[in-house]
Amino acid sequence: MAAGRRGRVRAWFDAQLRPDGDGRGLGPVLMASLRASGYGAVGAGFGILALYTIPVVAFAGLLALLGAGRFLVHPVMQWVRILAGLERRRLQRLGHEVETPYAGPDAEPPRTLKELRADPTARRDLAWVFLHGTFGLILGAVLINMPFVAVRDVTYPIWWAFAPDSERQILSGLLDADSPTSAALGFATGIAVFALWLLFGPKLLELQSRPGLHFLGPDPEIDLSERVARLTATRAAALDAHAVELRRIERALHDGAQNRIVAVAVLVGAAKREVPRDPDRAVEILGRAQDTVEDALAELRAVVRSILPPVLEDRGLAGALNALASDCAVPCTVDVDVPGRCPASVEATAYFVVAESLTNVAKHSRAKGASVEVRRRGNTLTVTVADDGRGGADAAAGSGLAGITRRVEALDGTTTVASPPGGPTEIRVELPCGS
Ligand SMILES: Nc1ncnc2c1ncn2[C@@H]1O[C@H](COP(=O)(O)OP(=O)(O)OP(=O)(O)O)[C@@H](O)[C@H]1O
Ligand SMILES: [Mg+2]
């Protein structure tokens, strides 16, 4: 109930403050300054925490340098990360997009000074702590103070006569106001501070947010070089996968269809020789040649199918996966929730992942049941194949799982194999599938 009301209040505030909103009068300007002071106060709160963090960081750093406080680096950096996370949330509330720059959700903060030196995101967090604990805090304090000083000074002439001696000041204690004239001046200073607050409140908030926006998002340069490194690696994986695939097709044609066609040539030659001597034997040999041609055709068909399974074209991903599951020796359920179609390369990879995983289930798992689940959320297709068998899948023990990883990497995706000894086994693949 309270949360709902809070949501409505925030929505109303946001509507008042929308830059393209219709109101330009005092109301929206006042609201913008109130909002600036509110968020500035929250920022000041984080600023106080950052201020107290500075000596802690310095102390831990010094001890670590002396070789005595290495164990302090990790908890201190963890706290810095929490603080940076709070500021990121504040900035997001303010409408800025600040992505978390860490390598992943499980990426640990540095544990030693050496790791800290090698971790640009941790150093950027620290830079923010120093700036926010000083300038950010001062700006926050100014933002909190301005409206109070304005109200106090504007009303000062009214209650000046009753104010105790120690309170006879205006402009937040900057000027003494010990005569009625100077008390009347309070009205003017109050109006001035109020005007300044209206004019500059949002700007001060922007200034206070700047270090966070600069230091708490991903470093654009690092982001780019990481991306280049990843692309280089996946391009290599794509070429590798391609080469492996060509080799497989070449072997299949060489060992299968080609061998059989050679056999047909030999048989036909033998039949030709037999025709004048023993026509019955020639007919028998030709019959064998015909069988072998049919085998060769079947082999060719299988090779063609393995390049891009036509069942995908005909029946879509869900249909193709259902066909795979119904061919599986272990009872298997299929649950596909994919609106529309994904790019052909993604569907083909998903198909091969499921085909290889189900072959493994039948070959190695001794499972009673298996399941295939495919989901598309936004731009990511997730394929999960699980079984309740004995576990212990190991990519190093064969070529199937390694092949899955290579194919998936070639599309910039990720593969996770969870298969503790004793089971169960879960192969989970995430594939980006364009827009
Ligand atoms: N679902 C599973 N349950 C239990 N063990 C598994 C499972 N999948 C794979 N394994 C184990 O992991 C090993 C590696 O599997 P992988 O698919 O890479 O190779 P493979 O199936 O042995 O050979 P191939 O190259 O023909 O696929 C298997 O030898 C098997 O011992
Ligand atoms: Mg296998």
Side-chain angles (χ1 to χ4, degrees):
M1 204 56 209
R5 197 176 319 129
R6 230 181 295 140
R8 275 205 301 280
V9 170
R10 191 176 316 130
W12 182 78
F13 269 68
D14 286 348
Q16 297 299 310
L17 297 172
R18 215 166 285 140
D20 54 355
D22 41 23
R24 278 189 182 229
L26 192 62
V29 174
L30 180 67
M31 291 305 302
S33 293
L34 270 177
R35 177 180 187 254
S37 282
Y39 278 105
V42 177
F46 299 161
I48 292 174
L49 295 176
L51 179 67
Y52 282 112
T53 307
I54 295 172
V56 176
V57 168
F59 181 66
L62 191 69
L63 278 188
L65 262 183
L66 296 175
R70 243 179 261 152
F71 65 96
L72 283 175
V73 173
H74 188 249
V76 169
M77 289 315 294
Q78 209 150 19
W79 162 243
V80 166
R81 204 177 258 202
I82 292 172
L83 202 52
L86 288 175
E87 174 70 355
R88 261 182 221 110
R89 290 250 296 276
R90 185 180 77 111
L91 294 175
Q92 280 160 358
R93 282 272 169 91
L94 279 169
H96 301 291
E97 261 187 36
V98 190
E99 278 177 37
T100 317
Y102 312 119
D106 310 322
E108 285 276 321
R111 290 182 176 278
T112 59
L113 277 187
K114 201 165 148 223
E115 280 181 28
L116 178 61
R117 252 178 255 133
D119 183 349
T121 55
R123 279 182 287 141
R124 286 162 65 80
D125 283 358
L126 282 178
W128 170 79
V129 165
F130 283 99
L131 283 175
H132 196 75
T134 50
F135 297 115
L137 178 56
I138 293 170
L139 288 172
V142 170
L143 273 169
I144 300 172
N145 254 311
M146 282 177 109
F148 288 110
V149 170
V151 171
R152 184 184 182 281
D153 283 10
V154 163
T155 56
Y156 193 57
I158 302 171
W159 49 273
W160 170 77
F162 309 104
D165 277 354
S166 60
E167 295 286 312
R168 291 194 158 181
Q169 291 152 339
I170 51 174
L171 266 187
S172 198
L174 283 182
L175 287 182
D176 283 335
D178 39 18
S179 66
T181 330
S182 51
L185 186 68
F187 182 77
T189 56
I191 294 289
V193 170
F194 187 65
L196 285 177
W197 178 59
L198 289 186
L199 277 177
F200 295 113
K203 296 257 176 340
L204 289 179
L205 177 67
E206 205 186 299
L207 217 59
Q208 192 198 35
S209 311
R210 228 174 253 176
L213 291 176
H214 183 73
F215 286 115
L216 297 186
D219 185 344
E221 270 173 45
I222 290 172
D223 206 32
L224 213 60
S225 57
E226 249 173 34
R227 174 96 188 118
V228 169
R230 230 163 68 95
L231 279 181
T232 314
T234 52
R235 195 184 65 138
L239 290 177
D240 247 19
H242 188 219
V244 168
E245 191 62 9
L246 281 182
R247 213 169 304 128
R248 184 185 65 76
I249 294 168
E250 191 250 341
R251 290 309 323 161
L253 289 176
H254 178 273
D255 300 345
Q258 183 182 328
N259 269 355
R260 291 185 202 276
I261 290 169
V262 168
V264 171
V266 172
L267 287 172
V268 170
K272 234 163 85 186
R273 279 195 303 280
E274 288 293 332
V275 170
R277 278 187 278 164
D278 183 352
D280 287 348
R281 170 120 182 89
V283 169
E284 184 208 323
I285 295 175
L286 280 176
R288 271 170 51 206
Q290 187 180 12
D291 290 346
T292 315
V293 166
E294 274 161 18
D295 287 350
L297 259 182
E299 297 250 356
L300 273 178
R301 225 174 270 136
V303 173
V304 170
R305 271 168 200 280
S306 74
I307 296 172
L308 192 67
V311 61
L312 262 181
E313 269 307 300
D314 303 344
R315 297 173 54 183
L317 190 58
L321 297 186
N322 271 310
L324 276 180
S326 60
D327 285 347
C328 183
V330 174
C332 179
T333 60
V334 178
D335 179 7
V336 179
D337 178 12
V338 182
R341 295 212 56 170
C342 299
S345 56
V346 173
E347 287 195 348
T349 304
Y351 180 86
F352 283 116
V353 167
V354 175
E356 172 57 29
S357 304
L358 288 184
T359 309
N360 279 350
V361 169
K363 256 187 2 188
H364 311 292
S365 75
R366 297 189 198 155
K368 289 197 187 65
S371 66
V372 175
E373 195 187 276
V374 186
R375 293 273 180 276
R376 181 171 178 171
R377 295 281 172 267
N379 272 349
T380 307
L381 188 78
T382 312
V383 180
T384 314
V385 183
D387 68 63
D388 57 1
R390 62 182 175 150
D394 175 15
S399 62
L401 287 174
I404 289 183
T405 312
R406 242 195 338 266
R407 269 176 190 276
V408 170
E409 268 176 5
L411 293 182
D412 254 359
T414 54
T415 310
T416 324
V417 178
S419 182
T425 299
E426 187 184 277
I427 317 272
R428 187 184 161 86
V429 162
E430 289 191 359
L431 294 164
C433 45
S435 50

